[in-house]
Amino acid sequence: MAASQGGNINHEYPFNLISPGQVHRGTVTEITNFGVFVNVADATGIITIPNLSWKRINDPSEVVQEGDMVSVMVLSVDSERRQISLSLKELMPDPLREFARTSLGRLVSGRITKITPIGYFVEVEHGIEGLLPQREVTAAHLDPTTTKAGDSLQVTVRSVDIYKRQIELSLTDTA
């Protein structure tokens, strides 16, 4: 903490120097199962797992290591609780936006990653999955006893919702 004029301790420092939207360089000081702690501007902030990458990750160490220097965007500052929320992914291009721009309405190859009661999840690009709804699976007469995760499919990208981060796929539009 820094001393203010007159020798009094300024409890707001360094929180009064950091505000949402700013970009700072910092050092990764700790990796936990729920996120990453980063030292920025003489304070420690946290990047939660969803704010590390646009892609799904299982462990923060897939993205950063202790000691790494990173550029982060400040999402929020709570000086009362002495918490700073940071994001690494906000400074990276969103691969879903590029996928939507280039693939909407097109036939693409994909690999089934998961079979659920609502349909098949299909990876259509590295780290990008879409849902082939169960109604499409049924209409195409795909046999659930022989179809499995890892199988390849040709699907059409029917819709992309950037805000919900959802992709709807189709088999019937693949003519």
Side-chain angles (χ1 to χ4, degrees):
M1 288 190 196
S4 64
Q5 287 183 337
N8 296 329
I9 294 176
N10 180 352
H11 294 284
E12 293 296 311
Y13 178 85
F15 294 92
N16 58 349
L17 302 176
I18 301 171
S19 60
Q22 290 180 336
V23 176
H24 290 270
R25 292 277 296 157
T27 304
V28 175
T29 58
E30 184 181 355
I31 296 176
T32 68
N33 61 347
F34 56 86
V36 174
F37 289 94
V38 178
N39 187 309
V40 291
D42 293 328
T44 299
I46 186 165
I47 308 171
T48 57
I49 288 177
N51 287 308
L52 278 170
S53 175
W54 288 107
K55 297 177 182 172
R56 288 189 185 149
I57 60 168
N58 295 317
D59 187 276
S61 62
E62 294 174 33
V63 180
V64 295
Q65 302 298 314
E66 279 188 34
D68 284 357
M69 286 292 297
V70 293
S71 294
V72 293
M73 186 174 109
V74 178
L75 297 177
S76 66
V77 178
D78 185 337
S79 56
E80 285 182 22
R81 294 174 64 194
R82 304 191 58 75
Q83 295 179 341
I84 303 170
S85 295
L86 304 169
S87 175
L88 197 60
K89 82 174 186 185
E90 288 299 322
L91 298 177
M92 299 176 190
D94 182 353
L96 187 59
R97 288 181 186 271
E98 180 64 16
F99 177 82
R101 189 180 70 73
T102 60
S103 301
L104 189 60
R106 294 198 174 159
L107 182 65
V108 296
S109 294
R111 183 183 53 83
I112 299 170
T113 58
K114 190 186 310 182
I115 297 175
T116 70
I118 63 169
Y120 295 1
F121 285 89
V122 179
E123 185 177 49
V124 289
E125 230 177 64
H126 180 67
I128 298 178
E129 284 185 335
L131 176 65
L132 180 63
Q134 187 59 46
R135 70 179 182 280
E136 290 275 340
V137 172
T138 303
H141 304 292
L142 287 178
D143 185 352
T145 60
T146 59
T147 306
K148 61 188 179 313
D151 287 355
S152 293
L153 288 176
Q154 293 286 327
V155 292
T156 298
V157 180
R158 180 176 277 169
S159 68
V160 178
D161 188 320
I162 300 292
Y163 293 128
K164 292 182 181 177
R165 312 230 30 101
Q166 295 175 344
I167 300 171
E168 183 181 355
L169 305 171
S170 174
L171 285 171
T172 56
D173 292 343
T174 60

